[in-house]
């Protein structure tokens, strides 16, 4: 995307010429927005500002993977000016959007001027220091534009890091509870669909699915938060062990249980009048549930005419028993509606593509991610000493067998150790270290395989994938005594 002189752009009258110029700029602006821009420029012209105030605007910039768009952005070293263009709107909608924009722009560490121009009235709105909506004169905006020097004209994607805006209910629990996050357009659409569906029927089971990084957990817990604030009695079952974020939510009054407690919870869920103590039951990471637990919950939901939301990803099974379970067909047969998240929002696209290529060498990306590093050690003691120095990283290890000792088990004693592939489900970390040892190889089809660990019931390849996909910023791969795999991954980075 290139910055533009908005006066020059607004004066283009030939549609073909405008289309070609938009391609040149790397933008796509709707006709109504273009008319708003013309009216805004004519308002500026009436005050006879210098030509410089029209220079170096980014038009219709979208933060990658977040679905967040800014109509007009102009940035220098000290000040960001955001101008939103509306044909008409309401004060409530204008205020809400400007507050959202303030959140997204705050990560640039500059002063911010937030403005909305309403074409039909010619009004210009901004926020005061208390985030209250006020009107300002066009000359105030012109003065701010004229004050900007050394305007940014580079790649905006280098300023906006999508991972800054990805709030996890588990790793950013305080920000989540305080509402300091926003959903993508698709998440908002699905949230509205669930709320409306629950209003219209007495009994409903809704499935929410999607691959790793599509935002299932945030949507699920945002829905729970919405219904709790409405006064609904919400019960959450997490199919796995609870993490620190879960316990923080519990301390704030949320009703969350690990799936291992499901029988006791259901047994105690009927009050003296034979009515359910819950209005809504939510299941998270349900691809890992066993069929007896699932049947118990589904029968309870049906018998008591409850609402239910089930979040699952068929790909993220970690044991061979989970992979061969009949839980997924049962879930999909029981759902009255299925919503599939498709917008990848966690990590950057290059990093996500690299992770896919590690597991399938045929999917090598043409773009080498800058945030991946790889190192090889011949023995565990050297690798362990190296990993212990990586204070800014979190080590995610393989889930150990309950009965057999493994040579990687004592890596859990390192201070940078965060947890196992099972314990970090649904969580995200800025910088992640994973280990690939000599239990891995590439087969003839260039697929990453594992020979398995003695007595370990879990799928080693899927546990590695689970660990890698927890990363938000930087990934480091430490390879131990496996130069063939080291060599193949090196090719991906060269």
């Amino acid at each position: 995307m290139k910055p533009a002189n908005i006066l020059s752009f607004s004066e283009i009258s030939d549609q073909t010429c405008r289309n070609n110029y938009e391609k040149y700029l790397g933008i796509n602006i709707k006709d109504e927005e273009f008319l708003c821009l013309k009216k805004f420029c004519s308002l500026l012209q009436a005050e006879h500002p210098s030509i410089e105030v029209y220079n170096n605007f980014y038009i219709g910039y979208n933060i990658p993977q977040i679905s967040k768009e800014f109509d007009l952005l102009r940035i220098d070293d000290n000040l960001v000016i955001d101008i939103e263009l509306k044909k008409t709107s309401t004060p409530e909608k204008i205020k809400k959007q400007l507050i959202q924009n303030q959140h997204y722009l705050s990560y640039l560490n500059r002063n911010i001027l937030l403005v909305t121009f309403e074409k039909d009235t010619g009004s210009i709105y901004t926020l005061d220091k208390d985030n209250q909506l006020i009107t300002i004169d066009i000359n105030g905006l012109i003065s701010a534009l004229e004050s900007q020097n050394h305007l940014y004209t580079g790649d905006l994607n280098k300023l906006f890091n999508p991972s800054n805006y990805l709030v996890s209910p588990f790793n950013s629990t305080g920000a989540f509870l305080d509402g300091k996050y926003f959903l993508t357009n698709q998440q908002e659409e699905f949230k509205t669909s669930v709320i409306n569906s629950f209003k219209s029927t007495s009994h409903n089971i809704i499935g929410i699915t999607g691959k790793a990084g599509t935002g299932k957990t945030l949507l699920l817990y945002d829905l729970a938060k919405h219904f709790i604030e409405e006064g609904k009695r919400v019960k959450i079952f997490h199919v796995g062990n609870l993490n620190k974020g879960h316990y923080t939510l519990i301390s704030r009054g949320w009703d969350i249980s690990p799936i291992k407690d499901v029988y006791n919870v259901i047994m105690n869920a009927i009050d003296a009048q034979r009515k359910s103590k819950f209005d809504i039951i939510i299941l998270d990471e349900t691809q890992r549930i066993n069929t007896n637990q699932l049947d118990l919950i589904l029968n309870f939901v049906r018998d008591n005419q409850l609402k239910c939301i089930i979040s699952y990803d068929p790909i993220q099974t970690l044991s061979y028993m989970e992979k061969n379970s009949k839980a997924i067909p049962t879930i999909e047969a029981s759902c009255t509606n299925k919503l599939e998240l498709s917008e990848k929002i966690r990590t950057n696209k290059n990093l996500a593509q690299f992770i896919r290529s590690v597991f399938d060498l045929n999917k090598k990306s043409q773009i080498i991610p800058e945030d991946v590093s790889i190192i090889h050690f011949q023995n565990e003691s050297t690798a362990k000493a190296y990993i212990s120095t990586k204070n800014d990283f979190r080590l995610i290890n393989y889930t150990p067998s309950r009965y057999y000792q493994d040579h990687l088990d004592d890596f859990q004693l390192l201070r940078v150790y965060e947890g196992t592939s099972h314990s970090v489900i649904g969580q995200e970390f800025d910088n992640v270290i994973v280990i690939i040892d000599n239990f891995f190889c590439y087969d003839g089809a260039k697929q990453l395989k594992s020979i398995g660990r003695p007595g370990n019931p879990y799928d080693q390849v899927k546990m590695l994938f689970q660990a890698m996909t927890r990363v938000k910023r930087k990934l480091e791969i430490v390879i131990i005594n496996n130069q063939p795999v080291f060599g193949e991954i090196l090719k991906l980075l060269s």
Side-chain angles (χ1 to χ4, degrees), residues 5-169:
N5 180 294
I6 57 173
L7 176 60
S8 168
F9 178 55
S10 71
E11 291 178 341
I12 298 175
S13 57
D14 180 79
Q15 186 64 48
T16 301
C17 184
R18 180 185 138 194
N19 291 342
N20 290 334
Y21 194 55
E22 287 185 14
K23 289 180 182 178
Y24 164 75
L25 294 174
I27 67 174
N28 183 15
I29 185 170
K30 297 176 183 177
D31 290 341
E32 187 58 53
E33 292 171 339
F34 184 73
L35 293 175
C36 290
L37 179 61
K38 286 179 70 71
K39 178 70 178 292
F40 175 69
C41 287
S42 67
L43 193 64
L44 286 175
Q45 280 185 294
E47 300 301 323
H48 305 290
S50 62
I51 189 66
E52 285 87 354
V53 301
Y54 303 99
N55 283 341
N56 295 320
F57 278 90
Y58 291 88
I59 304 172
Y61 172 71
N62 275 283
I63 300 177
Q65 301 155 247
I66 303 297
S67 301
K68 175 58 192 172
E69 181 179 347
F70 301 93
D71 291 343
L72 297 175
L73 274 183
R74 197 169 189 256
I75 303 170
D76 75 355
D77 295 339
N78 299 309
L79 177 64
V80 181
I81 298 178
D82 165 43
I83 303 171
E84 298 300 316
L85 305 171
K86 305 292 182 188
K87 180 181 184 297
T88 186
S89 189
T90 65
E92 292 77 16
K93 290 181 178 179
I94 292 172
K95 178 181 176 181
K96 179 180 178 181
Q97 183 183 37
L98 292 183
I99 290 175
Q100 286 185 348
N101 290 6
Q102 184 177 56
H103 168 76
Y104 287 109
L105 294 172
S106 64
Y107 288 89
L108 298 184
N109 294 318
R110 293 163 169 86
N111 295 316
I112 303 169
L113 175 61
L114 303 152
V115 168
T116 295
F117 170 70
E118 190 176 39
K119 170 177 167 285
D120 285 358
T121 64
S123 299
I124 301 174
Y125 298 91
T126 190
L127 298 175
D128 65 16
K129 60 182 179 61
D130 298 316
N131 278 347
Q132 297 304 309
L133 197 66
I134 59 173
T135 59
I136 61 169
D137 183 81
I138 186 66
N139 288 301
L141 177 55
I142 291 172
S143 295
L145 292 168
E146 290 178 336
S147 74
Q148 289 184 298
N149 295 299
H150 308 296
L151 292 165
Y152 186 80
T153 58
D155 182 0
L156 277 184
N157 290 343
K158 293 182 178 180
L159 297 183
F160 290 88
N161 188 335
S163 64
N164 286 333
Y165 312 110
L166 302 178
V167 169
S168 163

Side-chain angles (χ1 to χ4, degrees), residues 66-67 96 100 104 181-196 219 222-223 339 341 343:
I66 303 297
S67 301
K96 179 180 178 181
Q100 286 185 348
Y104 287 109
Y181 65 95
F182 300 101
L183 303 180
T184 66
N185 291 341
Q186 188 179 49
Q187 287 172 320
E188 286 282 10
E189 176 189 338
F190 286 179
K191 177 180 179 178
T192 300
S193 175
V194 172
I195 292 170
N196 290 339
L219 175 58
D222 178 74
L223 280 164
L339 303 171
L341 289 162
E343 296 179 358

